[in-house]
Structures are given as structure tokens and as C-alpha cells.
Amino acid sequence: MAAVLFDFSGTLFRIESTASWLRAVLDEAGLPLAEAESTRIARELEHVGALPGGVAPRVPMPDELAAVWDVRDESAELHRAAYTGLSRLVALPDPALHDALYDRHMLPSAWQPYPDAAEVLRALRARGTKVGVVSNIGWDLRPVFRAHGLDPYVDAYVLSYEHGVQKPDPRLFKTACTALGAEPRDVLMVGDDRRADGGAAALGCAVHFVDHLPAAQRPDALRPVLDLVD
């Protein structure tokens, strides 16, 4: 393989828990809640899928929100509208918290690399294998990689909102292959979403899937990538 493409959320990084996400925003706003109330709200936010990178929504969406949801990763505005729209399905102590929650999830401190991410990226760099990050996302994730020391191992970032195209559209993977100077047949795509990341196969890329689990529960799922490259 001449290059490896990685998804971001659920593949190289994991978002914090919904409870931690909510607690951080409440603390920043100076709005302490009783533990039982905070737990209830966090459970409701998780149920509606309001945390980007967290679990998918488990409730039917209003038609107008569903229309935005389907194309949410094509622009920063749509991404914010989709996720703040979901959070607004839950009553919060202050309406301003909906935007504060969205802003929180973009901070590097809200993300944790999987335990083997740095090791695998370093090994690929040592092998001379190009690395790209291909993500369906509505904001610039580069600061997350920089803050966690992984940016030096990434040769190209191809983010859906910057191109107006989202996975599984093969055009996004083609853009990444071109950026890395690699033919699709010589590229491996690694992701956790069989539909979105599996779109690379239509272009001729090999595809390898990992499970979207909390970081502590997935210590070494990325290491087989090195064997696949070799």
C-alpha cells in the first residue's frame, strides 16, 4: 500500500462521554446541577444523538431536522444546525447551553486518541507510507491532531465540509488519493462506518473496519493496519 486513509471519529479519536461533555459546559457556565438532574439530562442528550461523534439518534426527527441531518457534513452551518437542533429536543437550564455544547465538542480536550493511534501512525511514517484523514465533519479537526501530537504523521486532511461532499461519495476519497499522489488500488481506507467509509471500495481502495468503542475498550484495533500495509 502506498497510502492509508483514516476516518477521524471512532477510528483514530474518540469523543468524551455525554456526561463529561455536559458537565464541562455546565461548569464553564457556572450552572451546577444536582447529580441526578445532570445524569438525567445527559441521558436524554445521548438518546437524541446530540453529541457529535457519539451515538446515533434513537428518536424520530422532525421532518425539517431530518432533511438537514442527511447533508449535515456538507458545510459548517449545516453541521451546527443539525446537532444544535437535536440538543434543542432536550430542555436545558439555559438556552445558550445548546450552542455551548456544540462549541465544546470541537475542543481538543473533548477528544482522546485511541491507545494505539500514535504507534500506528509513527510506524506508517517510518515505512514511508502516506497518511490521509478523510472525515465527514463540519469543523476543522486539525487543532485536535496538533494538540495530541499526531499532526506530524498526517500528510493530508480531506474534510467533507471543506469540499461540500460527504462519504460515501467516492469523490471525497478520490480527492484524498490525489492529495497523496496515490492510485486508489494502492490505498487502504480505515474506518468504523461500514456505509460511509465503505464508499472507498467503489473507487478501488481496500477497506478495513474497526469498531466504534470507548478508547479504553479498544486498545489495539489499529495495529492490524500495519500488517495489511506490509
Side-chain angles (χ1 to χ4, degrees), residues 73-75 135-137 158-173 175:
D73 296 311
E74 293 183 6
S75 76
S135 178
N136 279 352
I137 199 165
V158 178
L159 311 181
S160 61
Y161 85 103
E162 293 181 337
H163 297 274
V165 176
Q166 59 187 31
K167 299 180 289 187
D169 193 315
R171 289 178 293 172
L172 204 63
F173 304 107
T175 297

Side-chain angles (χ1 to χ4, degrees), residues 1-5 170 173-178 180-189 199-207:
M1 294 293 175
V4 180
L5 307 177
F173 304 107
K174 177 61 175 176
T175 297
C177 292
T178 300
L180 297 176
E183 292 296 323
R185 64 177 178 273
D186 299 322
V187 173
L188 173 67
M189 174 68 207
L203 192 65
C205 301
V207 181

Side-chain angles (χ1 to χ4, degrees), residues 187-210:
V187 173
L188 173 67
M189 174 68 207
V190 182
D192 67 294
D193 188 319
R194 278 153 177 76
R195 177 180 177 273
D197 299 313
L203 192 65
C205 301
V207 181
H208 176 69
F209 295 110
V210 294

